[in-house]
């Protein structure tokens, strides 16, 4: 059976042998076949129907960027190989009620034929179709490689598929969109490759959806559909929410209101690149959403994609958005807020929302920077099928500066392509502009059109919202730091490593008012701790928190005093944003200190060193001048690292008509990893639900569903590989040959600090 999403390509030639005769008239070529089951007779989808449906759908998806004819052609030709007698024989054998016949069925390459036909009929431009057609199951291929590649596919001998209807084969050459003609003429390698990637997205999403509609009507019927005026309804719901909130009379709230009004005014401007420069705590989350909704309605844009750097932020932002949109859901509208990230709480997920994450076909997607950027440079169908839905969208990049310097060039090029050629509005939303904007010393930066800074006078806004004084404390020994923390009733201390957080928590000792937060705790445990922290703060009780940086971005929490181990200036600014956040004090106090042990902080050497220089030279290290100085040191003066992985070098144009586009899609997908291997996942039987899930996994016959996998993520801790190897035989139980469960949580997992593997001196957990 041709299962949706499964590869139908065999690396070996499937020549001759099975005969060359096309299906007879009584045996129409089929795309998919569902055998009889019980009282239900067999069902089949004619191949010509599938090709037309996928072509029409891909054309609809490509229309927003002027490539409707390209999408239709890719859809018509993607499965031409299924017209071969060999494939039709395979399909019937694979769906036979005879298990021996089904097992013996030999897979047949059905993707190469359409790619070869595209090149044969349309020459050089046909290669742009050959990439998505040949990869619509296996993923976008490299042009040339020592593994499977497009060049090899175009030379391959395939089964005779020429019984395909001439009405499908004889298609006129599609006219390239103006930007594509210009890109080819200017030899803009990246722009041409980006077009191929977007076309691939249109094809694979259309193919998935039409195949699903036939193979699984029930699943297809659960895909959510929103009325055409959904964004209008959402904009009104946000207006109503803001009116209901009212505001207490304070300088912070007055400035937040000014930010909101500036966003609503800027929404009238034409689509393009915007920057929203607002200090942490200035209300930019809802204000940026207000801009996006009004801007989308005003200019006919299709959706909003809200991108945040950390999963710790995403859940909070999505919860805020859901509270705003609750009246719409209560009136019967499908939830318009869809989260796409690894730590999603299954209680917030439905079948409809899970299906929407597959292709981002939703009014408001909330996702992570890792998911967003790695999809833009991925090559697999599951990664790429969502990309076409970024065209004619509003993309809000929260904490836009949170990009590794080694990937700056490719990331900024991708954002610029979306803005210039795909009708996408991009909003750089951050407290630390101008990190990635163009300037003479930063030529790869994004060019901001005149008048597209949303806040008219960011420097005045920063002055009005200044509510924190930054102090430098020099080197603090851990014992002295712990003593300072104990001197405060409500204090937050943020450090750079889990090891440091764990040690400080031990020095503080156990108390109802002492809390530890780090990735040593499973997400469900961290969420529980945050609820307790907020409750103690709101009631004015003692609350001392030691945390890694997971608390410092987007977590709505307010302490009068914050200690921050030296890190990048953007991290220091985020930490300061947890201090006197709501302006209830005349001024809060954020203390930046040097940790006693820096041996485990080598990964922060660049950012910390640059921050030290800025801290030494500026009275106010959070001023716009200081921020600009910091990014000059960290981003702008490191041109040798802007594309250290050689991503852009993998997209080249050549004079060879047989392979005019030398694109390394598969190679780029392997190289583009914003986060290196995070380690091995370990399941923690934390709480009643965690214990129940782990007990289920221990049953040999139990097969976890997608929903169960989502729940398991809430009880997972990532363990570094070296620690995993050291403790795997003693501390972890492997079940079903793939899941590691913490064997003795009563020994190795603390309710206060999470995972502990330091019960013997040789097993200190240092990551």
């Amino acid at each position: 059976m041709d299962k949706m999403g499964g590869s139908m390509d065999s690396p070996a030639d499937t020549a001759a042998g099975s005969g060359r005769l096309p299906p007879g008239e009584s045996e129409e070529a089929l795309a998919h076949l569902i055998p009889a089951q019980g009282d239900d007779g067999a069902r089949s989808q004619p191949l010509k129907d599938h090709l037309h449906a996928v072509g029409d759908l891909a054309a609809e998806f490509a229309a927003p960027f002027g490539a409707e004819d390209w999408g239709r052609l890719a859809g018509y030709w993607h499965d031409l190989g299924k017209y071969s007698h060999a494939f039709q024989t395979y399909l019937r054998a694979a769906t036979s009620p005879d298990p021996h016949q089904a097992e013996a069925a030999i897979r047949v390459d059905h993707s190469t034929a359409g790619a070869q036909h595209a090149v044969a009929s349309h020459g050089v431009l046909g290669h742009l179709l050959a990439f998505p057609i040949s990869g619509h199951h296996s993923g976008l291929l490299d042009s040339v490689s020592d593994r499977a590649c497009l060049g090899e596919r175009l030379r391959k001998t395939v089964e005779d598929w020429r019984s395909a209807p001439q009405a499908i084969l004889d298609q006129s050459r599609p006219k390239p969109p103006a930007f594509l003609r210009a890109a080819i003429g200017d030899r803009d390698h990246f722009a041409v490759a980006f077009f191929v990637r977007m076309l691939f997205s249109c094809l694979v999403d259309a193919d998935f959806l039409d195949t699903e509609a036939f193979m699984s009507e029930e699943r297809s019927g659960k895909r959510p559909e929103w009325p055409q005026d959904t964004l209008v309804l959402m904009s009104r719901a946000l207006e109503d929410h803001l009116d209901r909130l009212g505001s207490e009379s304070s300088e912070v709230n007055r400035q937040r209101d000014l930010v909101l009004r500036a966003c609503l005014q800027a929404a009238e401007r034409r689509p393009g690149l915007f920057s929203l420069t607002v200090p942490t705590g200035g209300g930019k989350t809802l204000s940026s959403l207000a801009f996006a909704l009004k801007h989308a309605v005003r200019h006919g844009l299709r959706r909003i994609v809200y991108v945040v750097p950390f999963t710790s932020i995403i859940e909070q932002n999505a919860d805020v958005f859901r509270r705003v949109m609750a009246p719409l859901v209560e009136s019967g509208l499908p939830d318009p807020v869809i989260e796409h990230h690894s730590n999603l709480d299954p209680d917030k997920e439905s079948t409809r929302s899970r299906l929407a994450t597959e292709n981002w076909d939703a009014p408001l997607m909330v996702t992570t920077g890792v998911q967003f950027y790695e999809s833009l440079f991925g090559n697999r169908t599951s990664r790429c099928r969502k990309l076409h839905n970024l065209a004619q969208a509003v993309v809000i990049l929260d904490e836009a500066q949170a990009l590794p310097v080694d990937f700056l060039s490719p990331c900024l090029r991708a954002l610029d392509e979306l803005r210039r050629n795909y009708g996408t509005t991009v909003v750089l939303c951050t407290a630390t502009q101008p990190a990635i904007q163009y300037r003479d010393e930063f030529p790869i930066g994004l060019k901001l059109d005149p008048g597209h800074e949303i806040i008219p006078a960011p420097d005045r806004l920063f002055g009005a919202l200044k509510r924190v004084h930054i102090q430098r404390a020099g080197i603090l020994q851990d014992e002295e730091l712990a003593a300072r923390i104990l001197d405060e009733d409500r204090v937050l201390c943020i450090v750079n490593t889990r090891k440091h957080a764990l040690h400080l928590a031990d020095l503080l000792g156990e108390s109802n008012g002492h809390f530890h937060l780090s990735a040593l705790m499973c997400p469900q445990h961290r969420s529980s701790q945050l609820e307790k922290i907020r409750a103690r703060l709101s009631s004015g009780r003692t609350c001392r928190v030691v945390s890694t940086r997971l608390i410092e971005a987007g977590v709505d929490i307010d302490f009068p005093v914050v200690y921050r181990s030296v890190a990048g200036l953007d991290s220091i600014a985020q930490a300061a944003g947890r201090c006197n956040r709501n302006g209830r004090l005349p001024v809060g106090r954020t203390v930046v200190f040097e940790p006693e042990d820096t041996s485990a902080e080598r990964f922060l050497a660049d950012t910390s060193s640059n921050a030290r220089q800025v801290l030494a030279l500026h009275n106010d290290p959070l001023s716009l001048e200081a921020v600009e100085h910091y990014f000059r040191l960290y981003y702008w003066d490191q041109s040798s690292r802007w594309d250290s992985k050689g991503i852009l070098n993998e997209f080249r144009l050549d004079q060879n008509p047989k392979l005019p586009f030398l694109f390394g899609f598969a190679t780029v997908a392997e190289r583009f990893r914003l986060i290196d291997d995070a380690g091995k996942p370990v399941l923690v039987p934390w709480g009643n639900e965690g214990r129940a899930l782990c007990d289920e996994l221990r049953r040999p016959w139990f097969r976890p569903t997608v929903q169960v996998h989502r729940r398991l993520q809430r009880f997972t801790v990532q363990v570094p590989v070296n620690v995993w190897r050291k403790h795997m035989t003693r501390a972890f139980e492997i079940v079903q040959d793939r899941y590691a469960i913490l064997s003795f949580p009563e020994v190795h997992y603390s309710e206060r600090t999470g995972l502990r593997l330091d019960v013997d001196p040789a097993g200190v957990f240092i990551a």
Side-chain angles (χ1 to χ4, degrees), residues 119 123 186 188 360 397 489 535 557 571 637 733 740 752:
V119 171
D186 296 341
D188 187 345
W360 287 7
L397 301 173
D489 286 335
I557 207 161
S571 292
D637 291 350
E733 172 191 0
R752 188 168 61 91

Side-chain angles (χ1 to χ4, degrees), residues 18-326:
S18 57
R20 296 283 183 180
L21 295 176
E25 292 182 5
S26 62
E27 202 174 84
E28 183 179 24
L30 304 179
H32 307 102
L33 178 61
I34 299 177
Q37 297 177 348
D39 296 333
D40 297 329
R43 292 196 303 116
S44 60
Q45 183 185 32
L47 180 52
K48 66 177 186 299
D49 292 353
H50 176 60
L51 297 184
H52 278 102
V54 174
D56 291 346
L57 200 52
E60 177 187 329
F61 293 159
F65 53 96
E68 186 173 359
D69 292 341
W70 290 78
R72 180 172 290 107
L73 213 53
Y76 280 1
W77 291 350
H78 80 290
D79 274 357
L80 286 182
K82 289 187 177 182
Y83 275 105
S84 72
H85 181 78
F87 181 86
Q88 293 299 311
T89 300
Y90 157 75
L91 181 61
R92 287 166 170 81
T95 56
S96 168
D98 181 351
H100 298 291
Q101 187 177 355
E103 187 175 343
I106 301 175
R107 289 177 177 267
V108 177
D109 175 355
H110 71 265
S111 301
T112 298
Q116 293 181 352
H117 179 66
V119 171
S121 59
H122 289 344
V124 171
L125 291 181
H127 285 80
L128 301 182
L129 288 163
F131 278 107
I133 291 173
S134 65
H136 76 269
H137 282 297
S138 58
L140 285 169
L141 300 170
D142 289 350
S143 297
V144 180
S145 176
D146 56 3
R147 54 191 170 186
C149 63
L150 181 64
E152 178 187 282
R153 289 287 196 91
L154 295 179
R155 295 188 302 269
K156 183 178 182 180
T157 300
V158 296
E159 297 287 352
D160 186 4
W161 48 271
R162 299 272 171 194
S163 61
Q166 288 301 312
I168 290 178
L169 296 179
D170 296 340
Q171 300 290 325
S172 59
R173 183 175 299 178
K175 183 179 180 181
F179 73 84
L180 180 60
R181 291 199 304 273
I184 294 174
D186 296 341
R187 301 187 65 78
D188 187 345
H189 319 154
F190 186 84
V192 179
F194 199 88
F195 173 80
V196 171
R197 192 183 297 280
M198 293 294 276
L199 189 61
F200 176 65
S201 172
C202 297
L203 173 61
V204 296
D205 195 27
D207 189 28
F208 267 85
L209 291 173
D210 185 68
T211 302
E212 177 186 79
F214 174 76
M215 300 293 290
S216 179
E217 293 178 341
E218 181 182 3
R219 175 185 168 94
S220 180
K222 290 180 179 178
R223 288 193 174 273
E225 293 184 3
W226 290 272
Q228 285 191 336
D229 64 345
T230 295
L231 293 178
V232 175
L233 297 174
M234 293 172 67
S235 185
R236 291 173 183 166
L238 178 55
E239 290 176 14
D240 293 343
H241 176 82
L242 294 171
D243 288 343
R244 288 194 303 270
L245 279 181
S247 62
E248 59 183 88
S249 179
S250 71
E251 183 60 22
V252 168
N253 285 322
R254 282 192 292 273
Q255 295 302 322
R256 288 173 178 171
D257 187 58
L258 290 175
V259 169
L260 174 62
R261 279 187 277 163
C263 285
L264 294 174
Q265 291 172 3
E268 297 290 335
R269 301 174 195 164
R270 61 182 176 83
L273 177 67
F274 292 81
S275 63
L276 177 59
T277 309
V278 177
T280 301
K284 66 179 181 290
T285 299
L286 287 181
S287 293
S288 61
L289 180 62
F291 165 87
L293 287 169
K294 185 175 180 181
H295 184 74
V297 171
R298 172 70 176 81
H299 298 285
L301 304 185
R302 303 184 300 157
R303 62 182 47 79
I304 296 149
V305 180
Y306 208 102
V307 183
V308 299
F310 310 114
T311 54
S312 57
I313 309 173
I314 208 174
E315 294 172 350
Q316 175 175 287
N317 282 5
D319 284 345
V320 170
F321 298 154
R322 282 200 177 90
R323 285 196 295 273
V324 172
M325 304 304 162

Side-chain angles (χ1 to χ4, degrees), residues 356-621:
T357 65
E358 294 178 350
N359 60 358
W360 287 7
D361 185 10
L364 175 55
M365 289 298 310
V366 189
T367 190
T368 62
V370 172
Q371 178 67 235
F372 179 76
Y373 290 110
E374 290 191 358
S375 293
L376 284 170
F377 291 92
N379 74 317
R380 309 300 297 184
T381 58
S382 58
R383 279 283 196 191
C384 294
R385 65 179 290 200
K386 64 177 78 75
L387 296 182
H388 69 90
N389 278 322
L390 295 176
Q392 291 188 358
V394 182
V395 174
I396 300 175
L397 301 173
D398 193 17
E399 308 305 334
Q401 80 289 344
L403 281 173
V405 65
D406 298 289
F407 293 99
L408 271 179
S409 281
C411 287
L412 298 183
R413 275 303 316 265
L415 293 173
D416 198 45
E417 276 301 303
L418 288 171
R419 175 188 69 88
R420 288 192 302 124
N421 298 324
Y422 296 88
T424 305
T425 284
V426 178
V427 183
L428 309 178
C429 186
T430 174
T432 51
Q433 300 280 15
I436 54 179
Q437 293 179 22
Y438 173 86
R439 59 201 59 242
D440 290 341
E441 63 269 40
F442 191 53
I444 66 168
L446 297 172
K447 292 185 177 180
L448 195 67
D449 296 333
H452 277 56
E453 166 57 61
I454 292 175
I455 303 301
D459 51 344
R460 287 206 298 269
L461 177 65
F462 274 68
L465 283 175
K466 183 174 174 58
R467 57 201 184 279
V468 175
H469 177 61
I470 304 292
Q471 297 178 355
R472 294 196 66 187
I475 297 175
L476 289 182
Q477 302 293 323
D478 287 344
E479 287 76 9
E480 181 183 356
L481 177 58
R484 289 192 178 204
I485 293 172
L486 289 171
D487 280 342
E488 306 287 347
D489 286 335
R490 291 182 300 282
V491 58
L492 168 65
C493 178
I494 304 174
V495 296
N496 294 323
T497 67
R498 291 185 282 182
K499 176 186 176 182
H500 197 187
L502 196 60
H503 182 54
L504 283 175
D506 286 342
L507 288 176
L508 293 182
E510 293 194 34
S511 166
N512 289 337
H514 291 177
F515 298 91
H516 163 278
L517 290 170
S518 82
L520 290 176
M521 307 160 77
C522 66
Q524 192 75 9
H525 189 182
R526 295 201 303 265
S527 296
S528 173
Q529 291 292 83
L530 273 170
E531 287 181 11
K532 294 176 183 177
I533 290 168
R534 289 193 176 100
R536 292 190 72 89
L537 288 173
S538 63
S539 63
R541 289 177 289 172
T542 298
C543 186
R544 303 183 181 104
V545 179
V546 175
S547 176
T548 58
R549 62 177 299 185
L550 62 82
I551 199 174
E552 71 183 6
V555 179
D556 190 3
I557 207 161
D558 189 353
F559 285 87
V561 179
V562 171
Y563 279 78
R564 182 56 168 102
S565 181
V566 68
L569 197 65
D570 53 334
S571 292
I572 293 171
Q574 290 292 350
R578 309 315 114 195
C579 182
N580 196 24
R581 183 176 181 84
N582 296 315
R584 295 191 177 98
L585 301 174
V587 65
R589 184 163 55 95
T590 295
V591 182
V592 180
F593 65 92
E594 299 279 352
E596 169 188 333
D597 179 10
T598 60
S599 61
E601 303 194 12
R602 285 189 294 272
F603 67 97
L604 287 171
D606 287 345
T607 55
S608 297
S609 174
N610 295 333
R612 288 186 185 96
Q613 293 186 53
V614 173
L615 288 166
L617 294 174
H618 293 269
N619 291 329
D620 180 5

